[in-house]
Amino acid sequence: MKKTRRQSPKAALKTNGAADAAENNNDDVSERIRTTLANAIGEGALKPGTKILEDAIADHFGVSRTVVRGALGVLESDHLLERKKNRGTFVAEPGIEEAKALFEARRKIEHAILDLVMTRATTEQLDALEKLTDEEEHIHHHGDEKSKTVLSGRFHIVLAELGGNSVLTEMLSKIVARLSLVMALYEEEKKDDCGADHHRLIVTALKAKNLAHAQHLMDHHLADIEARVRLTEGQGDRHTFMAVLENFS
């Protein structure tokens, strides 16, 4: 009978170490894929309804499609992507009820965040937040469209971080990302501003320790954003059709 050659403990450790290193590398690349796609969606480079090309992603990052699908699965769970049976994975197209729910959830979360910021943020932190509104104003007048898009949600995320609740910050980040898809589908009135004036007034109210006024200002700011969209099926279909014309003309 032929004897089975046993692997030495040292060789086994080496093999296990290589496997762990490969797994960690795949995890790192998977996170890079997720971040790349999430940023592209948030900045409007990947429009709602765009098909995600798994092969192209695998080739670009030098990984297997299994690793790519793992990253796409995370984005699906965050509702930024959706898998359609026998067709593949696409950038999500939020429906009207989903859009309304997202706007409502954002208003509630922003109120809670302001309450936390009022009690937890230091004067120095609020001063830094105020400087951010100055940066917004500068980019509004001198920046390109990409810079304005990137900056549009930054104030709200920084504000959330000052509240010191990582769960609320994560929730708001995901809602803001999903609302970028809503705006892409249903926005009717595009405004060339980043809300710096609204943001500055909110910071002023926070510095004055006037929570009710800060929340009122936030409601006004978010209502202004909501007013730019027309939540009808026809509007969503129109945007999708216009995107096709832009791609093929």
Side-chain angles (χ1 to χ4, degrees):
M1 180 182 292
K2 188 176 180 180
K3 291 185 178 180
T4 303
R5 188 175 180 181
R6 296 182 62 185
Q7 192 175 36
S8 69
K10 180 182 277 189
L13 285 173
K14 187 175 181 180
T15 300
N16 291 338
D20 290 341
E23 184 176 350
N24 289 336
N25 182 63
N26 286 342
D27 289 343
D28 291 342
V29 177
S30 181
E31 179 60 19
R32 283 171 53 208
I33 294 170
R34 188 200 67 77
T35 301
T36 298
L37 293 179
N39 288 341
I41 291 169
E43 294 175 21
L46 285 175
K47 306 291 185 184
T50 301
K51 186 171 184 178
I52 301 300
L53 305 178
E54 293 183 8
D55 286 343
I57 297 171
D59 289 342
H60 178 76
F61 287 94
V63 292
S64 68
R65 291 182 64 178
T66 300
V67 175
V68 173
R69 286 171 182 159
L72 300 186
V74 175
L75 293 171
E76 285 179 52
S77 68
D78 289 341
H79 304 282
L80 295 181
L81 300 179
E82 56 188 6
R83 181 171 289 277
K84 298 181 180 180
K85 190 175 182 180
N86 299 324
R87 292 181 58 196
T89 302
F90 298 78
V91 177
E93 297 177 276
I96 291 172
E97 292 307 313
E98 180 181 350
K100 290 178 179 178
L102 287 168
F103 279 124
E104 181 180 45
R106 181 173 184 178
R107 287 194 299 271
K108 299 295 185 183
I109 290 175
E110 296 270 20
H111 267 227
I113 286 170
L114 286 171
D115 193 2
L116 292 174
V117 171
M118 185 72 72
T119 58
R120 295 178 178 177
T122 65
T123 300
E124 291 76 15
Q125 287 175 322
L126 292 177
D127 286 342
L129 189 63
E130 193 168 43
K131 287 182 180 178
L132 178 59
T133 67
D134 294 335
E135 183 183 344
E136 287 182 316
E137 189 68 33
H138 176 78
I139 289 179
H140 166 57
H141 290 298
H142 306 288
D144 56 23
E145 289 305 312
K146 181 179 179 182
S147 297
K148 293 175 186 177
T149 303
V150 171
L151 195 65
S152 62
R154 183 177 164 194
F155 172 87
H156 295 270
I157 303 306
V158 173
L159 180 66
E161 290 171 347
L162 296 187
N165 187 307
S166 60
V167 175
L168 284 178
T169 301
E170 181 182 5
M171 290 171 64
L172 181 65
S173 297
K174 291 181 177 181
I175 287 173
V176 169
R178 292 170 68 182
L179 280 173
S180 70
L181 295 174
V182 172
M183 301 304 288
L185 270 177
Y186 300 103
E187 188 172 16
E188 183 176 42
E189 180 186 359
K190 290 187 178 292
K191 289 189 177 181
D192 186 27
D193 68 65
C194 59
D197 52 342
H198 293 170
H199 295 164
R200 188 174 291 109
L201 290 172
I202 291 169
V203 176
T204 300
L206 288 169
K207 284 187 167 185
K209 300 296 182 182
N210 191 335
L211 176 60
H213 188 47
Q215 291 175 333
H216 171 74
L217 290 167
M218 181 65 78
D219 284 342
H220 175 71
H221 174 52
L222 297 179
D224 181 67
I225 295 173
E226 268 188 79
R228 302 179 193 182
V229 304
R230 186 172 70 182
L231 293 177
T232 65
E233 294 292 351
Q235 184 73 356
D237 293 341
R238 184 176 187 277
H239 275 257
T240 301
F241 186 69
M242 290 298 291
V244 172
L245 293 181
E246 290 173 4
N247 288 332
F248 288 90
S249 62

